[in-house]
Amino acid sequence: MEKRVYNLSAGPAILPEEVLLEAQKEFFSYKGSGMSVMEMSHRGKIYDQIHQEAEADLRSLLNIGDNYSVLFLQGGATLQFSMVPMNILKGKADYILTGAWAKKAAKEAKKIGSVNIAGSTESENFNRLPRQDELKLDSEASYVHFTSNNTIFGTQYRTEPEVGNIPLVCDTSSDMLHKKFDVNKYALIYAGAQKNMGPSGCTLVIVRKDMLERSDDSLHTYLNYKTHAESNSLYNTPPTFSIYIMGLVYKWLLKNGGLDWIYKVNSEKAGMLYDFIDGSDGFYKSAVAVKEDRSLMNVTFSTPNEDLDKKFIAESAVKGFSGLKGHRSVGGLRASIYNAFPQKGVEDLVEFMKDFKAKN
Ligand SMILES: *Cc1c(COP(=O)(O)O)cnc(C)c1O
């Protein structure tokens, strides 16, 4: 078999090897059908089963009730920045700014209604999350939007901000399914597949059914959540291959022990890396100012200077670690250790970091 690298890319990102091998086995001819999943009709029996199972497995992983619709859409999380306000913003909405993605979401909402920035740490370069006591929520807002994990800055909410009775909307693109959470706290959740769930091309939306009543019939058909809820995400051709791979990822999670299992693994992996960074006598520094805000998914850090960061990236690549460069807007280093990133990979990364520190 071809050798694989330790892929620490922020997204598209690493997938479980078992899933890739399963897909490889079924690639040429899916379960005796004589064709690849890519080649089959989205209206046929075989694909229909893949589609239904993906939804059922996701519902079982997250314990999603019948009062929620699960949608498989296209256009990335980026289209949701627009679809969310187009469908459910009536007048005004609250946005919590915790990074570049949250800002982009707020920018689109402003085209639909009035946006109240309910909290922001932009003046501190998003190196922490706004505290609950810093939030200025508007009780009449259509919803509060927040980003659960900030892929670029490496911060992550441990629990949802408290928003009382205002509907809660969340962009969970980079930490969806990294642990169990209570879907019932949310009016709408969305996530691009390509960070923690599958290949690019599919965006998951979980929307509470009462929210669908807000969608105006004057909206363009594809942009209306009701269209997709009523047609079971088969109004037009869905991203069939992405949904198929996501379905395999859901089965991989279920088989191994579900979200409690993966949360334990994720906590151990991130714990190992942060403990090493904290114990490195200041050689490595976390980019996040508040420990409780550190992400379990994207570990942002740096060496004593930019030249050493560059050297770190070059030398780590030679040793088989890919994607450790920080986002172009912030620099530094970033290790994205999503669900599929193996524990052994974190152990080997820590060994490499020890060695790099000793030599520099
Ligand atoms: C990557 C990312 C996005 C953008 O996703 P696209 O699928 O490229 O549109 C949005 N929000 C967060 C938190 C992300 O990590």
Side-chain angles (χ1 to χ4, degrees):
M1 200 161 49
E2 293 230 16
K3 194 170 154 34
R4 286 174 47 88
V5 296
Y6 282 135
N7 181 1
L8 295 131
S9 162
I14 188 166
L15 288 168
E17 289 196 346
E18 284 157 78
V19 166
L20 295 176
L21 291 170
E22 175 78 14
Q24 183 183 47
K25 209 171 70 192
E26 298 173 339
F27 188 77
F28 194 66
S29 171
Y30 179 78
K31 297 196 167 140
S33 65
M35 51 178 120
S36 176
V37 174
M38 270 196 276
E39 302 172 296
M40 57 180 66
S41 166
H42 61 294
R43 306 278 174 211
K45 248 195 183 149
I46 304 172
Y47 177 73
D48 195 58
Q49 191 180 348
I50 293 171
H51 194 89
Q52 305 307 337
E53 271 183 30
E55 177 176 340
D57 288 341
L58 179 75
R59 283 184 180 273
S60 126
L61 278 168
L62 279 171
N63 212 355
I64 303 173
D66 289 340
N67 53 333
Y68 286 82
S69 291
V70 170
L71 315 176
F72 297 116
L73 308 182
Q74 301 188 57
T78 300
L79 182 58
Q80 294 312 305
F81 296 163
S82 302
M83 273 177 79
V84 166
M86 287 171 101
N87 282 269
I88 68 169
L89 200 171
K90 303 290 163 190
K92 49 188 181 172
D94 283 352
Y95 276 72
I96 303 176
L97 300 193
T98 51
W101 297 116
K103 274 178 77 176
K104 285 189 171 163
K107 180 182 165 203
E108 299 306 315
K110 279 179 197 156
K111 297 182 192 227
I112 306 289
S114 104
V115 167
N116 168 45
I117 302 304
S120 172
T121 47
E122 187 166 19
S123 62
E124 291 155 71
N125 199 26
F126 297 122
N127 69 5
R128 65 174 183 92
L129 300 171
R131 290 186 310 272
Q132 183 70 34
D133 63 23
E134 291 175 311
L135 297 183
K136 292 195 175 63
L137 299 167
D138 179 343
S139 62
E140 283 167 13
S142 294
Y143 58 86
V144 184
H145 179 283
F146 80 109
T147 314
S148 53
N149 183 70
N150 297 284
T151 327
I152 296 173
F153 296 92
T155 58
Q156 182 181 34
Y157 279 89
R158 291 281 165 278
T159 54
E160 299 81 4
E162 280 170 37
V163 299
N165 290 325
I166 319 170
L168 192 57
V169 173
C170 188
D171 175 0
T172 64
S173 290
S174 52
D175 68 351
M176 187 62 173
L177 301 182
H178 87 289
K179 73 168 179 190
K180 198 166 268 174
F181 66 95
D182 186 3
V183 170
N184 295 310
K185 290 185 178 164
Y186 295 83
L188 192 150
I189 297 160
Y190 63 93
Q194 73 272 19
K195 300 225 167 96
N196 215 14
M197 287 190 292
S200 61
C202 185
T203 314
L204 182 71
V205 175
I206 303 170
V207 54
R208 208 173 58 216
K209 285 179 179 163
D210 62 297
M211 285 289 128
L212 298 172
E213 280 151 37
R214 295 192 188 183
S215 302
D216 202 282
D217 289 338
S218 67
L219 284 169
H220 284 266
T221 312
Y222 188 92
L223 301 179
N224 189 323
Y225 287 131
K226 256 193 294 193
T227 303
H228 304 288
E230 284 164 6
S231 58
N232 192 23
S233 306
L234 285 158
Y235 171 72
N236 69 331
T237 317
T240 51
F241 197 76
S242 292
I243 294 169
Y244 157 65
I245 300 286
M246 272 207 287
L248 292 181
V249 170
Y250 300 158
K251 287 192 193 300
W252 170 78
L253 284 168
L254 285 167
K255 192 183 89 188
N256 284 293
L259 299 183
D260 289 332
W261 163 72
I262 200 68
Y263 181 52
K264 187 168 166 278
V265 173
N266 285 329
S267 303
E268 283 170 13
K269 285 187 303 187
M272 209 188 313
L273 201 44
Y274 284 120
D275 284 348
F276 175 72
I277 289 171
D278 290 343
S280 70
D281 305 321
F283 185 84
Y284 296 105
K285 274 199 188 68
S286 163
V288 179
V290 175
K291 272 195 184 176
E292 304 82 77
D293 292 348
R294 289 170 168 183
S295 170
L296 301 187
M297 300 278 101
N298 311 99
V299 178
T300 47
F301 63 102
S302 58
T303 67
N305 62 60
E306 274 179 41
D307 287 340
L308 278 178
D309 285 349
K310 276 193 197 134
K311 196 169 166 201
F312 183 98
I313 293 159
E315 289 183 9
S316 64
V318 174
K319 298 274 180 192
F321 300 95
S322 168
L324 280 162
K325 194 169 189 283
H327 190 268
R328 56 194 144 76
S329 64
V330 293
L333 304 163
R334 171 174 56 175
S336 297
I337 48 173
Y338 296 118
N339 285 356
F341 193 83
Q343 224 146 350
K344 173 81 167 67
V346 177
E347 286 163 21
D348 289 352
L349 177 63
V350 166
E351 278 311 307
F352 169 79
M353 289 169 74
K354 257 185 215 163
D355 195 49
F356 185 85
K357 176 181 174 237
K359 286 183 183 145
N360 293 280

Short mmCIF file of all heavy atoms in Angstrom, two decimals, residues 58-85:
data_model
loop_
_atom_site.label_atom_id
_atom_site.label_comp_id
_atom_site.label_asym_id
_atom_site.label_seq_id
_atom_site.Cartn_x
_atom_site.Cartn_y
_atom_site.Cartn_z
N LEU A 58 -26.71 9.68 11.32
CA LEU A 58 -26.44 10.97 11.94
C LEU A 58 -27.44 11.25 13.06
O LEU A 58 -27.08 11.70 14.15
CB LEU A 58 -26.50 12.10 10.90
CG LEU A 58 -26.25 13.47 11.51
CD1 LEU A 58 -24.77 13.66 11.82
CD2 LEU A 58 -26.74 14.59 10.62
N ARG A 59 -28.70 10.95 12.78
CA ARG A 59 -29.73 11.15 13.81
C ARG A 59 -29.42 10.32 15.05
O ARG A 59 -29.62 10.78 16.18
CB ARG A 59 -31.12 10.79 13.25
CG ARG A 59 -31.71 11.86 12.33
CD ARG A 59 -33.13 11.50 11.90
NE ARG A 59 -33.69 12.52 11.03
CZ ARG A 59 -34.33 13.61 11.46
NH1 ARG A 59 -34.51 13.82 12.75
NH2 ARG A 59 -34.80 14.49 10.60
N SER A 60 -28.93 9.12 14.83
CA SER A 60 -28.66 8.28 15.98
C SER A 60 -27.41 8.76 16.73
O SER A 60 -27.40 8.77 17.97
CB SER A 60 -28.62 6.81 15.51
OG SER A 60 -27.47 6.19 15.88
N LEU A 61 -26.39 9.21 16.02
CA LEU A 61 -25.18 9.74 16.70
C LEU A 61 -25.50 10.92 17.60
O LEU A 61 -24.98 11.03 18.71
CB LEU A 61 -24.16 10.20 15.65
CG LEU A 61 -23.25 9.15 15.01
CD1 LEU A 61 -22.53 9.75 13.81
CD2 LEU A 61 -22.24 8.62 16.01
N LEU A 62 -26.36 11.81 17.12
CA LEU A 62 -26.63 13.06 17.84
C LEU A 62 -27.97 13.04 18.55
O LEU A 62 -28.36 14.04 19.16
CB LEU A 62 -26.59 14.24 16.87
CG LEU A 62 -25.21 14.79 16.52
CD1 LEU A 62 -25.33 15.81 15.40
CD2 LEU A 62 -24.55 15.42 17.74
N ASN A 63 -28.66 11.89 18.46
CA ASN A 63 -29.96 11.81 19.09
C ASN A 63 -30.90 12.94 18.64
O ASN A 63 -31.49 13.65 19.45
CB ASN A 63 -29.76 11.87 20.61
CG ASN A 63 -30.79 11.06 21.33
OD1 ASN A 63 -31.71 10.53 20.70
ND2 ASN A 63 -30.68 10.98 22.64
N ILE A 64 -31.01 13.10 17.33
CA ILE A 64 -31.80 14.20 16.76
C ILE A 64 -33.28 13.81 16.73
O ILE A 64 -33.63 12.75 16.18
CB ILE A 64 -31.32 14.55 15.33
CG1 ILE A 64 -29.82 14.90 15.34
CG2 ILE A 64 -32.15 15.69 14.74
CD1 ILE A 64 -29.22 15.10 13.95
N GLY A 65 -34.13 14.62 17.30
CA GLY A 65 -35.56 14.31 17.38
C GLY A 65 -36.29 14.57 16.06
O GLY A 65 -35.78 15.22 15.15
N ASP A 66 -37.54 14.07 15.99
CA ASP A 66 -38.36 14.24 14.79
C ASP A 66 -38.75 15.69 14.55
O ASP A 66 -39.24 16.02 13.47
CB ASP A 66 -39.65 13.41 14.92
CG ASP A 66 -39.37 11.93 14.82
OD1 ASP A 66 -38.29 11.58 14.29
OD2 ASP A 66 -40.21 11.13 15.29
N ASN A 67 -38.56 16.52 15.56
CA ASN A 67 -38.90 17.93 15.36
C ASN A 67 -37.79 18.71 14.65
O ASN A 67 -37.85 19.92 14.54
CB ASN A 67 -39.24 18.60 16.72
CG ASN A 67 -38.15 18.40 17.75
OD1 ASN A 67 -37.40 17.41 17.70
ND2 ASN A 67 -38.03 19.33 18.67
N TYR A 68 -36.78 17.98 14.17
CA TYR A 68 -35.71 18.60 13.38
C TYR A 68 -35.64 17.98 12.00
O TYR A 68 -35.81 16.77 11.85
CB TYR A 68 -34.34 18.43 14.05
CG TYR A 68 -34.13 19.31 15.26
CD1 TYR A 68 -34.63 18.93 16.50
CD2 TYR A 68 -33.45 20.52 15.15
CE1 TYR A 68 -34.46 19.73 17.61
CE2 TYR A 68 -33.27 21.33 16.26
CZ TYR A 68 -33.78 20.93 17.48
OH TYR A 68 -33.60 21.74 18.58
N SER A 69 -35.36 18.81 10.98
CA SER A 69 -35.06 18.30 9.65
C SER A 69 -33.54 18.25 9.48
O SER A 69 -32.83 19.14 9.96
CB SER A 69 -35.62 19.24 8.57
OG SER A 69 -37.01 19.18 8.57
N VAL A 70 -33.08 17.23 8.80
CA VAL A 70 -31.65 17.11 8.47
C VAL A 70 -31.52 17.31 6.96
O VAL A 70 -32.17 16.61 6.18
CB VAL A 70 -31.11 15.72 8.87
CG1 VAL A 70 -29.71 15.50 8.30
CG2 VAL A 70 -31.11 15.56 10.38
N LEU A 71 -30.72 18.29 6.55
CA LEU A 71 -30.59 18.61 5.13
C LEU A 71 -29.16 18.43 4.66
O LEU A 71 -28.22 18.79 5.37
CB LEU A 71 -31.02 20.06 4.86
CG LEU A 71 -32.31 20.56 5.53
CD1 LEU A 71 -32.52 22.04 5.23
CD2 LEU A 71 -33.51 19.74 5.05
N PHE A 72 -29.00 17.86 3.47
CA PHE A 72 -27.68 17.75 2.83
C PHE A 72 -27.67 18.71 1.64
O PHE A 72 -28.29 18.44 0.62
CB PHE A 72 -27.44 16.32 2.34
CG PHE A 72 -27.41 15.28 3.44
CD1 PHE A 72 -28.37 14.28 3.48
CD2 PHE A 72 -26.42 15.30 4.40
CE1 PHE A 72 -28.33 13.30 4.48
CE2 PHE A 72 -26.37 14.32 5.41
CZ PHE A 72 -27.34 13.33 5.44
N LEU A 73 -26.97 19.82 1.79
CA LEU A 73 -27.00 20.87 0.77
C LEU A 73 -25.63 21.07 0.12
O LEU A 73 -24.67 20.40 0.48
CB LEU A 73 -27.49 22.18 1.38
CG LEU A 73 -28.81 22.11 2.16
CD1 LEU A 73 -29.20 23.50 2.67
CD2 LEU A 73 -29.93 21.55 1.30
N GLN A 74 -25.56 22.02 -0.80
CA GLN A 74 -24.30 22.39 -1.43
C GLN A 74 -24.02 23.87 -1.18
O GLN A 74 -24.82 24.56 -0.57
CB GLN A 74 -24.34 22.07 -2.93
CG GLN A 74 -24.61 20.58 -3.17
CD GLN A 74 -24.47 20.17 -4.62
OE1 GLN A 74 -23.43 20.36 -5.23
NE2 GLN A 74 -25.53 19.58 -5.17
N GLY A 75 -22.88 24.32 -1.65
CA GLY A 75 -22.55 25.74 -1.48
C GLY A 75 -21.69 26.02 -0.26
O GLY A 75 -21.34 27.17 0.01
N GLY A 76 -21.33 24.99 0.48
CA GLY A 76 -20.44 25.16 1.63
C GLY A 76 -21.11 25.89 2.78
O GLY A 76 -22.26 26.33 2.69
N ALA A 77 -20.36 26.00 3.87
CA ALA A 77 -20.85 26.80 5.00
C ALA A 77 -21.05 28.24 4.53
O ALA A 77 -21.91 28.96 5.03
CB ALA A 77 -19.86 26.74 6.15
N THR A 78 -20.29 28.62 3.53
CA THR A 78 -20.37 29.98 3.01
C THR A 78 -21.76 30.33 2.50
O THR A 78 -22.25 31.43 2.72
CB THR A 78 -19.32 30.17 1.89
OG1 THR A 78 -18.03 29.93 2.45
CG2 THR A 78 -19.37 31.57 1.30
N LEU A 79 -22.43 29.39 1.81
CA LEU A 79 -23.79 29.69 1.36
C LEU A 79 -24.74 29.80 2.55
O LEU A 79 -25.71 30.56 2.52
CB LEU A 79 -24.30 28.64 0.35
CG LEU A 79 -25.69 28.91 -0.22
CD1 LEU A 79 -25.77 30.27 -0.93
CD2 LEU A 79 -26.12 27.81 -1.18
N GLN A 80 -24.45 29.07 3.63
CA GLN A 80 -25.29 29.18 4.83
C GLN A 80 -25.18 30.56 5.48
O GLN A 80 -26.11 31.00 6.14
CB GLN A 80 -24.96 28.07 5.83
CG GLN A 80 -25.32 26.68 5.32
CD GLN A 80 -26.73 26.64 4.74
OE1 GLN A 80 -27.70 27.01 5.40
NE2 GLN A 80 -26.83 26.23 3.48
N PHE A 81 -24.03 31.22 5.30
CA PHE A 81 -23.92 32.60 5.81
C PHE A 81 -25.07 33.44 5.24
O PHE A 81 -25.56 34.36 5.88
CB PHE A 81 -22.57 33.24 5.42
CG PHE A 81 -21.35 32.57 6.00
CD1 PHE A 81 -20.10 32.82 5.46
CD2 PHE A 81 -21.45 31.70 7.08
CE1 PHE A 81 -18.95 32.22 5.99
CE2 PHE A 81 -20.32 31.09 7.62
CZ PHE A 81 -19.06 31.35 7.06
N SER A 82 -25.47 33.13 3.99
CA SER A 82 -26.57 33.85 3.34
C SER A 82 -27.92 33.20 3.58
O SER A 82 -28.91 33.88 3.86
CB SER A 82 -26.33 33.93 1.83
OG SER A 82 -25.12 34.57 1.55
N MET A 83 -27.98 31.88 3.46
CA MET A 83 -29.28 31.21 3.58
C MET A 83 -29.90 31.37 4.96
O MET A 83 -31.11 31.51 5.09
CB MET A 83 -29.16 29.71 3.23
CG MET A 83 -29.32 29.43 1.74
SD MET A 83 -29.11 27.68 1.32
CE MET A 83 -30.70 26.97 1.80
N VAL A 84 -29.05 31.35 6.00
CA VAL A 84 -29.60 31.52 7.35
C VAL A 84 -30.38 32.83 7.46
O VAL A 84 -31.58 32.82 7.76
CB VAL A 84 -28.49 31.39 8.43
CG1 VAL A 84 -28.97 31.89 9.78
CG2 VAL A 84 -28.02 29.94 8.53
N PRO A 85 -29.75 33.98 7.19
CA PRO A 85 -30.53 35.22 7.30
C PRO A 85 -31.66 35.33 6.28
O PRO A 85 -32.73 35.86 6.59
CB PRO A 85 -29.49 36.33 7.10
CG PRO A 85 -28.31 35.69 6.45
CD PRO A 85 -28.31 34.27 6.90
#
